[in-house]
């Protein structure tokens, strides 16, 4: 027996409801559209850390749907977000206090603040045991500080350069393992990458914070795993909207011409 066709109006209404559901925002939790809500993987309460996190968030990233900083700030209790293109005096009471202290006591060792960015002059974080041990000697009112730059890699490089005169007074540049001679990963070959990375070792701000806290926090492994779980869910949602990769038609035709030319050349010998 043939089934009755669904009324056209019902189909239109169903599609409209679906689009409306996609536009609906989870205002009481993660702040993302309800169809990609991350509330089920967010920590029930923001994670406490001995370190204080400061992130310079490029203005363009505020409009980017794949920005991880808004979600990261919901995972961590001690996380300060500064929107701008450079760090300078007057943006953060925390950083201002470090700057003032460094000016008053120029002989004071730079062992309280680290800013993460790969480069030839950056200390590998895995070798800075003296920073890790210094955590035990810092009082509750004088916590360790980690500084990150959030933006495209081009923007982040510009942000670090513009902020260097301010940071040089009180912070040390560090990095995680990286290799500029190896291509970076993509969402197609990693469950933790949202956007194509320029070289090996590059990662999102969210993953970078998690990796640093693993090394520096007393319970760093647990903190890292909880942040990575949220990032993995975020990447998984994004991967669902990707279309299978197909070679460009123009490139395919070019390859075909090359193959035909090679076949013709081989036939002459």
């Amino acid at each position: 027996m043939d089934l009755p066709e669904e009324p056209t109006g019902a189909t239109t209404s169903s599609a409209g409801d679906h689009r409306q559901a996609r536009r609906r925002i989870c205002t009481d939790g993660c702040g993302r559209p309800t169809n990609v809500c991350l509330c089920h993987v967010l920590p029930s309460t923001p994670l406490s850390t001995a370190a204080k996190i400061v992130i310079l968030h490029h203005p363009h990233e505020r409009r980017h749907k794949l920005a991880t900083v808004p979600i990261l700030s919901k995972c961590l209790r001690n996380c300060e977000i500064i929107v701008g293109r450079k760090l300078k005096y007057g943006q953060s009471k925390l950083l201002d206090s470090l700057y003032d202290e460094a000016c008053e006591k120029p002989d004071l060792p730079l062992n309280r603040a680290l800013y993460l960015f790969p480069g030839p002059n950056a200390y590998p974080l895995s070798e800075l045991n003296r920073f890790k041990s210094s955590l035990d000697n810092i009082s509750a009112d004088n916590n360790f500080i980690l500084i990150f730059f959030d933006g495209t890699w081009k923007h982040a490089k510009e942000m670090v350069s513009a902020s260097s005169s301010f940071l040089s007074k009180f912070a040390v540049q560090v990095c995680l393992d990286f290799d500029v001679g190896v291509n970076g990963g993509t969402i197609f070959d990693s469950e933790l990458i949202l956007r194509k990375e320029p070289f090996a070792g590059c990662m999102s701000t969210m993953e970078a914070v998690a990796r640093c806290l693993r090394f520096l926090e007393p319970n760093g492994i647990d903190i890292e795993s909880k942040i990575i779980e949220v990032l993995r869910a975020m990447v998984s949602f994004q991967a669902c909207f990707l279309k299978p990769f197909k070679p460009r038609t123009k490139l395919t035709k070019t390859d075909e011409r090359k193959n035909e030319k090679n076949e013709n050349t081989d036939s002459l010998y």
Side-chain angles (χ1 to χ4, degrees), residues 141-256:
D141 297 329
N142 203 24
N143 288 329
F144 205 66
I145 294 130
L146 293 171
I147 303 168
F148 299 86
F149 298 85
D150 182 69
T152 64
W153 282 97
K154 178 183 178 182
H155 287 155
K157 186 176 181 179
E158 294 170 352
M159 293 156 75
V160 171
S161 177
S163 306
S164 60
S165 60
F166 178 67
L167 289 174
S168 62
K169 293 289 186 180
F170 59 85
V172 173
Q173 182 179 357
V174 298
C175 65
L176 296 168
D177 292 337
F178 70 95
D179 188 346
V180 295
V182 178
N183 290 332
T186 70
I187 194 173
F188 294 102
D189 51 37
S190 173
E191 60 181 358
L192 298 179
I193 295 178
L194 283 162
R195 290 181 266 182
K196 174 73 172 69
E197 303 295 357
F199 51 84
C202 294
M203 60 190 71
S204 68
T205 302
M206 193 170 193
E207 184 179 359
V209 171
R211 303 306 184 198
C212 290
L213 292 178
R214 173 191 175 92
F215 181 77
L216 293 170
E217 289 291 313
N219 59 333
I221 294 178
D222 184 48
I223 292 174
E224 178 195 39
S225 65
K226 290 179 180 178
I227 295 175
I228 292 299
E229 181 184 5
V230 178
L231 177 60
R232 185 177 289 112
M234 189 175 178
V235 174
S236 178
F237 274 132
Q238 181 61 23
C240 293
F241 294 95
L242 295 177
K243 296 180 180 179
F245 176 77
K246 295 182 180 180
R248 295 179 181 178
T249 304
K250 184 176 180 180
L251 295 179
T252 302
K253 289 181 179 179
T254 302
D255 292 339
E256 289 176 353

Side-chain angles (χ1 to χ4, degrees), residues 59-72:
H60 288 182
E61 290 297 305
R62 300 181 70 185
R63 303 189 296 270
H64 205 293
K65 295 179 181 180
L66 300 183
T68 60
V69 167
I71 297 299
L72 179 62

Side-chain angles (χ1 to χ4, degrees), residues 18 27 29 37 85 89 109 162 164 208-209 235 257 267 269:
H18 179 67
T27 55
C37 177
R85 299 172 185 266
Y89 195 88
S164 60
V209 171
V235 174
R257 293 194 194 99
S267 66
Y269 294 90

Side-chain angles (χ1 to χ4, degrees), residues 54-114:
V54 178
I55 301 174
L56 182 62
H57 189 47
H58 195 279
H60 288 182
E61 290 297 305
R62 300 181 70 185
R63 303 189 296 270
H64 205 293
K65 295 179 181 180
L66 300 183
T68 60
V69 167
I71 297 299
L72 179 62
S73 63
K74 297 180 182 297
C75 295
L76 297 173
R77 186 179 304 277
N78 296 324
C79 185
E80 179 182 356
I81 311 298
I82 300 172
V83 178
R85 299 172 185 266
K86 63 180 292 187
L87 288 173
K88 56 187 178 181
Y89 195 88
Q91 292 173 316
S92 166
K93 291 182 179 180
L94 178 61
L95 298 186
D96 288 352
S97 65
L98 292 178
Y99 184 89
D100 291 338
E101 185 178 24
C103 291
E104 294 172 3
K105 304 175 182 178
D107 297 329
L108 192 69
L110 300 179
N111 64 350
R112 286 192 53 210
L114 306 176

